Amino acid sequence: MTIKFKQETFRDDYTFSNSPASIRRFPFPFDQDQYMYSVNIEPHTKGEPGSYVEFAIDIDEHYVAECEDKKIVLDQDPDRYIALPHMMDAQWDMVELVMESLSEDYPELFKLTKDGNNWHWINKPLAIDQTFVFGDQSTLPMEPFEYIGRQVQGDWVILDQRDNNLFADMGIVTTQADWSSAFDAGMSFQEWHGPVPHAHEMGIFDRALKFLLNMQYGSPVRRLNWTMTVNPRLDTSPENYPVWGPDNVSVTPVNVGEKVHLRVELQALFRLPRSNAIAFSIRCYLISLQDLVTYPRWAKRLHRVLKTLHPDLIEYKGLTNYHQMMIDYLAPMDDGVDIGLGTQPE
Amino acid sequence: MQRGYWIKSKPNYNTLSWRENTLGHMLIAQGEGGLALVKLLQQRCPVQPLKVLFSGEKYTDILNGFIPEGIDVFASDEEMLCELKSQLSECLMGTQFYVAGDEAFIWKVMDELAVYGVQERDVEKELCGTIARSVYCVHCKTIDKNVHHNIHLCSYCNRYLFVRDHFSRRLGAYMGVMVDAEVPGDIPARQEIYP
Amino acid sequence: MTTLTVKVADVEQVTDVVKHFTLVPENGELLPHFSGGSHIIVSLNINGRIHRNAYSLMGSTTEVDSYHISVRKQENSRGGSIYMHEEVKPGSILEVTYPVNLFAINKMARRHVLVAGGIGITPFMSQISDLNRLGYDYELHYAYRSNEHAAFREQLEEMCGDKVYFHVDSEGSQLDLKVLLSHQLLGTHVYICGPDSMVKALHLTAKDLGWPENHVHSEQFSAPPMGDEFKVKLVESDIELVVPSDMSLLEAIEGAGVDAPFLCRGGACGRCELEVVECDGQLQHNDHYLSDAEKLAGNKVMPCVSRARCSQLSLKL
């Protein structure tokens, strides 16, 4: 399969855009007219060909541009990458997970050959050709997790399982929706989810934690999370809030369709074999409202979800300034007809 | 946010009370935390061995009176934490810990205990004296201490920060986020809410 | 659960009641990697009924051309260990799950105290390969009845050097748990695997001495939702079915052609919840979703992981 990789930016001049194919395969998260938090975990099994869940790790047309953006963020703020000393086994687990998945699922783009512990990795889109000894850090240009983390889209947080809990002891975080990995480093599952409204009282994190503690190697799971972003900006970290904050008040009824983007996180969780850690990938997909509404069913569904969204969630997700503008933009597209359950575009 | 919302990472403290089934008790306090120790010891003096580390002046005589083994008094928190480090390396499993003092102090002690895997829920912690906060500026990563207000001017990058309730035990600080990022200069009223 | 097919490459009689099985992949590739303390679940077809037994992986975590398990012949078992001893031979094909670890070492521990009783030594052997490889401080206490029961003693001496202590009943050397646990430095974790009575004794002793729960680890094999067979009546679909011992309630319902809702299939999300119309026995709740009160009330059940011990369970579906 060939992918035409785009040259685009997720900052400054924001030249990002989605091709029609990319729009169609977008991970639209709303299967009903109202949204509330739930333990919406499901097995991460092979999905429809061409869909964002066809493979364990999704590579799309934004791959090269996103890797470039990741590099910019890491150069500016190296603290976006952290790996505590006891996580070295997990670092190698990650190298294996990513290299094996990508080479198996995208053979025209990635190649992995092994001769015992002598591995040869080729990443064509990023023009990387690397031989190394699996398990020997000195044979790679940087730490194994950083090495492979820079070659895959999205954020990855690796959780050490101990004390009947999960701890964020390793991570590469450059596309987060307003949480600080430097601040949250070392926190437990319930702690880093501390600010989320309602979900704790609903027992969602208790149940999710118990489920994750029992996750097995070979049976990964996934779920979707969502928010909105003004401009297709990936790095919406609190660290850089002074940079992207002003965008939140720059939305007008005229530009709302173009500027406001639905931001969906595909979260996949994998048990890692040698370290027994859990790899938590947070893969971010962006789509402008004006692209989204080219599918009328999505326009209607999004309108209804936004209209009925709980005020605490509006506030927590940072939508306050332009929430009504989005509703006004979508309202004319909603004829009120029942569209049934499901996230499909048509 | 609706009434009832609170950030779950915000630590909770209780009044010190004796825990049963231990090999020994270690009490660690500073300043007004001394009064918490007095209240605890007035209930009873436990059978098991007691070790008391206290930095402060006010309650030393009373505490010495309660404890046959005597207490270790320090002129400063730093000196006491140094001694604590060395004591912990020889401590045994089965030791119960009790900490009392202001928030910054409590988490400095917890940080030393964390090295040995001692968990928050296994330590008696009482917040005494000021409820001033340490604030971590998420933009320049500076930590400012003794913050009494809901809006704080970062000592390094000079941004006005909203002091959130999201707390990092590792840093012993609350997150501060620029309060006027969206509309520069639009700063809410500053109130002293952490006296 | 993900499974793979393995072939028995070798069977070794270790003591008169313990056999060591070497398992290799059927198709010649490598086996999945695992962390120290892991186990696999072996499916055994005994007279048409599927039994599932968990066995710890004993080999080094860095060598995955084969898995090593040991089985102690239990006379009063449901038949699994007897079958392993009498029917499984070199060349036998077995279906096993991917490795699961519910007995992992705590990587932040200052030091690790390992306590093994009898056949309970097995999970420690892979743990020790990790402890050695990572350079962590540990000591192993291995208690067994008499020298005929000293499985793997030589291997352990070689792996552990002076870090292993043997406590042989017949030689009058008993392991004193109270002495052991009252002299450990702060930050030590203790791990136990052995007969029930020994595990209970250690937990009690640790608790009495003030050890926090998270520093005391005992092996608990994963409990897939298997159990006795029972009948189910789906009231609205007007279908009766039988849930076999080796299938979950949800799988049995799906097998009967009924479209039951589900999502996580792990007892956490609540999507598969069904209303109980009637149960002439006891519900066995294995989920994390229902509250204690809801479980007691018995009006709801999560079919993906829960079961019933009854002759008939009626559900509203």
Side-chain angles (χ1 to χ4, degrees), chain A residues 140-183:
Chain A
L140 281 175
M142 61 188 84
E143 276 190 7
F145 176 59
E146 185 179 355
Y147 178 73
I148 202 62
R150 284 174 176 257
Q151 297 180 49
V152 72
Q153 288 163 274
D155 295 338
W156 288 77
V157 182
I158 316 302
L159 313 170
D160 187 34
Q161 179 161 330
R162 60 178 192 271
D163 297 337
N164 258 332
N165 213 329
L166 297 170
F167 293 87
D169 287 350
M170 185 158 103
I172 187 166
V173 181
T174 61
T175 72
Q176 69 266 54
D178 207 10
W179 62 276
S180 167
S181 53
F183 188 75

Side-chain angles (χ1 to χ4, degrees), chain A residues 231-248:
Chain A
N231 289 323
R233 187 181 171 89
L234 282 177
D235 175 18
T236 50
S237 58
E239 283 83 353
N240 285 326
Y241 182 48
V243 174
W244 55 267
D247 290 351
N248 278 354

Side-chain angles (χ1 to χ4, degrees), chain C:
Chain C
M1 271 188 134
T2 327
T3 57
L4 56 137
T5 314
V6 296
K7 189 168 64 175
V8 178
D10 189 41
V11 181
E12 181 201 348
Q13 190 81 43
V14 178
T15 70
D16 58 355
V17 289
V18 173
K19 273 191 179 175
H20 159 219
F21 298 82
T22 303
L23 310 173
V24 295
E26 198 197 21
N27 57 10
E29 288 170 13
L30 286 178
L31 292 164
H33 275 88
F34 62 99
S35 48
S38 294
H39 65 271
I40 53 173
I41 299 178
V42 181
S43 289
L44 305 166
N45 189 333
I46 306 176
N47 300 322
R49 271 191 72 193
I50 306 284
H51 290 242
R52 281 170 216 241
N53 280 25
Y55 297 111
S56 298
L57 292 178
M58 290 167 34
S60 164
T61 57
T62 52
E63 286 159 28
V64 287
D65 43 11
S66 56
Y67 282 166
H68 299 266
I69 61 174
S70 285
V71 181
R72 190 193 195 285
K73 197 179 203 178
Q74 314 279 27
E75 298 305 337
N76 55 349
S77 77
R78 280 167 53 152
S81 66
I82 293 179
Y83 184 86
M84 288 292 294
H85 272 249
E86 293 173 2
E87 303 294 333
V88 176
K89 300 181 176 4
S92 296
I93 302 288
L94 295 173
E95 194 184 304
V96 308
T97 62
Y98 268 46
V100 176
N101 198 344
L102 299 175
F103 194 48
I105 59 177
N106 183 314
K107 295 191 178 77
M108 307 301 286
R110 190 172 172 197
R111 66 190 310 268
H112 311 259
V113 173
L114 317 177
V115 181
I119 196 61
I121 189 63
T122 49
F124 293 114
M125 299 188 59
S126 62
Q127 276 195 359
I128 286 165
S129 82
D130 274 349
L131 290 166
N132 282 339
R133 177 174 63 84
L134 296 167
Y136 291 165
D137 185 14
Y138 71 94
E139 65 189 54
L140 167 67
H141 294 265
Y142 182 16
Y144 52 87
R145 260 188 272 146
S146 63
N147 281 310
E148 301 88 70
H149 294 268
F152 313 110
R153 179 165 173 145
E154 265 173 48
Q155 199 177 338
L156 286 166
E157 278 168 333
E158 205 184 295
M159 283 168 72
C160 308
D162 60 358
K163 296 188 170 81
V164 59
Y165 302 87
F166 299 101
H167 305 269
V168 189
D169 263 2
S170 63
E171 288 171 11
S173 154
Q174 288 249 347
L175 172 59
D176 188 329
L177 293 176
K178 189 155 180 211
V179 167
L180 179 68
L181 296 181
S182 47
H183 292 92
Q184 296 301 330
L185 288 174
L186 193 66
T188 304
H189 281 248
V190 67
Y191 308 76
I192 174 129
C193 184
D196 263 352
S197 54
M198 189 184 188
V199 173
K200 282 199 179 87
L202 185 130
H203 274 280
L204 272 172
T205 309
K207 187 160 181 224
D208 273 343
L209 293 173
W211 283 62
E213 269 176 23
N214 70 309
H215 282 247
V216 183
H217 310 261
S218 48
E219 170 65 283
Q220 18 159 10
F221 293 120
S222 56
M226 304 303 138
D228 293 329
E229 202 175 87
F230 60 101
K231 283 207 225 88
V232 170
K233 186 176 164 87
L234 300 178
V235 165
E236 286 173 353
S237 324
D238 199 23
I239 291 180
E240 286 193 9
L241 56 103
V242 171
V243 181
S245 62
D246 65 311
M247 217 188 250
S248 74
L249 173 53
L250 177 62
E251 284 164 343
I253 293 173
E254 290 168 336
V258 177
D259 211 359
F262 69 89
L263 186 60
C264 77
R265 299 185 86 95
C269 71
R271 191 68 76 92
C272 68
E273 181 182 301
L274 291 176
E275 199 181 303
V276 176
V277 173
E278 204 187 334
C279 175
D280 63 4
Q282 266 231 322
L283 290 172
Q284 294 173 297
H285 298 284
N286 296 318
D287 65 289
H288 313 303
Y289 182 78
L290 297 172
S291 67
D292 288 342
E294 284 173 318
K295 287 179 180 175
L296 257 175
N299 298 321
K300 303 182 201 180
V301 73
M302 317 306 297
C304 64
V305 291
S306 301
R307 306 176 70 80
R309 197 178 278 135
C310 64
S311 41
Q312 174 140 301
L313 170 69
S314 298
L315 298 170
K316 188 175 174 192
L317 181 62

